[in-house]
Amino acid sequence: MNILSIGASSSSKSINQQLANYAAGKIKNAVIQEAKIGDFPVPIFSTDLEETEGIPEQAQRFRELIQSCDAIVISLAEHNGSYTAAFKNLYDWASRIDYAVWCEKPMLLLATSPGARGGATVLEAAAATFPRMGAQLVGSLSVPSFHDNFQHGALKHSELDAQLNSLTQRLHKPTSI
Ligand SMILES: Cc1cc2nc3c(=O)[nH]c(=O)nc-3n(C[C@H](O)[C@H](O)[C@H](O)COP(=O)(O)O)c2cc1C
C-alpha cells in the first residue's frame, strides 16, 4: 500500500513531517513516500501568472503524487491560525488543475505544534474543506505540545498514540488474496 506522507510546512525540520511519517509508519506493509512542501517550489499564485505561464510543473508533480498513492497522511503546521503560506500556495495551484485536489483518496488529517492547542484551528479548517476538495477523510487528530509528547521519533502520550493506532487502521487496505 503506497502512503503519501505530507508535512504541510516549509520547514526542512518540520515537526508535522515527523508526525506524518510516524503515523504512516504504523500502517502494515506501507511504502511511504514523503512529500515535503519545500520540494515543490512554485511562484506565488496569481490568475495573471496562470494566464501567461500556465500551471507550474511542480504543482503538476504534486498532483501526480496524490493521484498515484493509495492513501494520504497529512499533518498541518499552523501559522497565525491558518495554513502555512507555502502549503496554501501549492494547494491553490493544485486546485487549478482540478478542484478535487485530493483525488478521492482516503486521508488521515493531523496537526501538531509546540503549543497547547496543537494546531487545532488549522485542523478544523481543513476538516471542513478538504472533503469538498476530494478527500475521503477517515479521521483527524491534533497532537498538542509536540516536544513534550513526541520524543526519540515516537509519540510518548499513550492515549494519543492509541488514537493514532486506531485512525491509521482505517487507512489500511486489505491485501488481495
Ligand atoms: C509565523 C509563525 C506563526 C505561527 N503561528 C502559530 C499558530 O497560530 N498556532 C500555533 O500553534 N503555532 C504557531 N506557530 C508555531 C508553529 O506551530 C511552529 O513553528 C511549528 O514548528 C510549525 O510546524 P512545522 O515544524 O511543521 O513547520 C507559528 C510559527 C510561525 C513561524
Side-chain angles (χ1 to χ4, degrees):
M1 182 175 187
N2 293 315
I3 304 289
L4 187 63
S5 171
I6 306 175
S9 158
S10 56
S11 165
S12 61
K13 299 181 189 116
S14 169
I15 59 176
N16 282 279
Q17 188 71 64
Q18 291 176 53
L19 180 63
N21 291 351
Y22 175 72
K26 287 179 175 284
I27 300 159
K28 212 175 151 201
N29 299 325
V31 176
I32 301 167
Q33 167 116 50
E34 203 182 53
K36 294 180 179 171
I37 299 306
D39 291 343
F40 302 87
V42 286
I44 299 287
F45 178 82
S46 86
T47 48
D48 294 344
L49 193 60
E50 186 184 19
E51 272 171 31
T52 55
E53 304 287 329
I55 309 281
E57 201 185 317
Q58 296 295 342
Q60 308 268 13
R61 197 167 69 81
F62 182 65
R63 175 163 174 94
E64 281 161 22
L65 279 183
I66 294 168
Q67 252 173 342
S68 63
C69 76
D70 296 312
I72 300 165
V73 177
I74 182 168
S75 190
L76 300 163
E78 183 174 286
H79 278 185
N80 299 317
S82 192
Y83 304 110
T84 61
F87 169 72
K88 183 62 165 53
N89 189 42
L90 181 60
Y91 189 55
D92 285 348
W93 276 114
S95 74
R96 302 299 282 178
I97 302 168
D98 186 337
Y99 188 70
V101 171
W102 302 115
C103 300
E104 304 305 329
K105 303 290 178 175
M107 174 190 279
L108 172 58
L109 183 58
L110 307 171
T112 191
S113 82
R117 277 183 51 76
T121 306
V122 72
L123 190 72
E124 254 175 51
T129 57
F130 283 8
R132 291 205 294 272
M133 299 184 74
Q136 300 287 329
L137 213 57
V138 302
S140 66
L141 183 72
S142 154
V143 173
S145 308
F146 179 83
H147 299 293
D148 296 332
N149 288 323
F150 192 96
Q151 286 166 5
H152 309 296
L155 198 49
K156 297 298 172 199
H157 191 298
S158 54
E159 201 178 303
L160 286 172
D161 203 43
Q163 283 182 53
L164 198 56
N165 282 337
S166 150
L167 288 170
T168 51
Q169 291 320 303
R170 295 190 202 165
L171 284 175
H172 194 262
K173 193 172 76 176
T175 46
S176 49
I177 303 165

